[in-house]
Amino acid sequence: MRRRSSPTHPYQDDARGPRIQKVLADADVGSRRACEDAVEDGRVTVNGHRIDGLPAWVNPEEDDIRVDGRRIRAAARHVHVMLFKPKGYLSTTSDPDGRPLAVDLVRHPSHARLFPVGRLDVDASGLILLTNDGELANRLTHPRFEMAKGYEIGRAHV
């Protein structure tokens, strides 16, 4: 990883608001990891200052935040979609082999970038949650929140 020793930008006060990678991810720039990479690559500016490393905190309501010179949109509203995933569809956002994806079954009017919460095997069908709400997804899937999960496995009728 290419972390710099210490950032020199003026956005190092955590009282300003959320971390910049969260704001960028909430604005559908990419995943938090991809947003961290954009910052580390020097592609992000806040009020004209190049952000030269993490951590950085911003006020998305007041700051002019840009990636590659383009101003980011306001944070997308959270979208939650319950989908009955059919067999043969992957519960992921991309597949190098080109297999069908559950997220492609949903055309939400907001055009939000949805991702599945958790996984179902490609050969399984069942209810899956799609969302653009990273905090909700984390609370539902991270082991420290001890969220109970249940699976019912039935026999196939031939």
Side-chain angles (χ1 to χ4, degrees), residues 34-110:
C35 293
E36 289 172 358
D37 289 343
V39 170
E40 292 294 334
D41 291 343
R43 298 171 39 218
V44 179
T45 60
V46 176
N47 302 325
H49 295 275
R50 184 162 311 284
I51 304 302
D52 59 357
L54 294 171
W57 289 271
V58 295
N59 181 335
E61 303 296 321
E62 296 178 9
D63 292 332
D64 176 10
I65 304 167
R66 295 176 184 257
V67 178
D68 298 327
R70 295 174 59 200
R71 189 169 188 165
I72 65 165
R73 300 181 270 138
R77 294 186 71 111
H78 289 153
V79 175
H80 310 100
V81 174
M82 291 188 303
L83 173 72
F84 186 84
K85 184 194 87 63
K87 292 179 182 179
Y89 284 78
L90 295 175
S91 55
T92 185
T93 57
S94 65
D95 179 50
D97 295 330
R99 295 174 290 181
L101 308 175
V103 294
D104 292 337
L105 295 171
V106 176
R107 299 280 183 251
H108 196 273
S110 72

Side-chain angles (χ1 to χ4, degrees), residues 1-9 11-13 18-24 31-42 44 46 50-58:
M1 190 160 260
R2 58 188 179 286
R3 301 275 183 224
R4 296 190 176 128
S5 56
S6 61
T8 60
H9 59 76
Y11 301 98
Q12 298 180 53
D13 178 6
R19 288 179 181 265
I20 194 165
Q21 63 267 37
K22 180 181 184 324
V23 171
L24 295 174
S31 67
R32 283 196 195 184
R33 178 87 54 206
C35 293
E36 289 172 358
D37 289 343
V39 170
E40 292 294 334
D41 291 343
V44 179
V46 176
R50 184 162 311 284
I51 304 302
D52 59 357
L54 294 171
W57 289 271
V58 295

Side-chain angles (χ1 to χ4, degrees), residues 122-145:
V122 69
D123 294 328
S125 62
L127 186 67
I128 190 165
L129 179 66
L130 304 176
T131 188
N132 64 347
D133 185 347
E135 183 62 31
L136 175 66
N138 184 49
R139 288 188 160 283
L140 291 174
T141 59
H142 197 284
R144 85 177 135 121
F145 294 106

